[in-house]
Amino acid sequence: MREDRRNLLVEMTTQYALNIIEYAEILENERKYVIARQVLKSGTSIGANIREEQNAESKADFIHKFKIAAKEIDETEYWLCLCQAAKTYPNPDPQLLENLQVIARVVGKIISSSKRRQNPSAHSQIS
């Protein structure tokens, strides 16, 4: 891991993963094993992909890792919303969805700005 500077997004997604682990444990205690596993996998994968981008081999690889993180964000949101809607499931803490939206906005901005920097002439022709 790079130690040269602080990465707030890595810190944010690491804390998010810890919160997801806690919620998955609540689901497991309620014997909701299948959804617990899905939430755990997608919710912790967000930060794993963001950590992985720090060692990207190219700008395209960097963007690709963030796109995977964005997909995991969408999947996590799906599972959390499903848990909210299901009458027999414990509701996730509202902060889980709120923090996920913050992470989603940051990831979206990074993807769009990285794409612009990767191919600035294509974006200036569109404008």
Side-chain angles (χ1 to χ4, degrees), residues 9 12 73 96-108:
L9 186 56
M12 187 184 311
I73 289 166
L96 278 177
L97 281 164
E98 290 172 24
N99 292 342
L100 189 62
Q101 293 307 313
V102 171
I103 293 167
R105 284 193 296 275
V106 172
V107 167

Side-chain angles (χ1 to χ4, degrees), residues 54-74:
Q54 293 187 326
N55 296 307
E57 296 175 14
S58 64
K59 181 60 84 176
D61 187 36
F62 177 88
I63 293 169
H64 179 70
K65 298 293 183 213
F66 270 100
K67 284 183 174 182
I68 293 170
K71 288 179 181 183
E72 297 296 340
I73 289 166
D74 286 342

Side-chain angles (χ1 to χ4, degrees), residues 4-80:
D4 55 342
R5 64 181 195 197
R6 187 171 177 203
N7 186 318
L8 294 177
L9 186 56
V10 168
E11 291 175 18
M12 187 184 311
T13 56
T14 298
Q15 183 58 54
Y16 189 78
L18 293 170
N19 294 339
I20 281 291
I21 290 168
E22 289 177 13
Y23 181 60
E25 288 173 350
I26 291 168
L27 289 171
E28 285 183 354
N29 288 337
E30 295 286 325
R31 302 173 63 98
K32 309 298 185 189
Y33 302 115
V34 173
I35 302 295
R37 182 170 168 79
Q38 295 293 339
V39 166
L40 183 66
K41 287 173 63 177
S42 65
T44 57
S45 182
I46 299 163
N49 280 289
I50 288 172
R51 286 277 303 257
E52 215 175 300
E53 64 67 29
Q54 293 187 326
N55 296 307
E57 296 175 14
S58 64
K59 181 60 84 176
D61 187 36
F62 177 88
I63 293 169
H64 179 70
K65 298 293 183 213
F66 270 100
K67 284 183 174 182
I68 293 170
K71 288 179 181 183
E72 297 296 340
I73 289 166
D74 286 342
E75 183 178 344
T76 302
E77 181 181 35
Y78 172 78
W79 295 121
L80 292 175

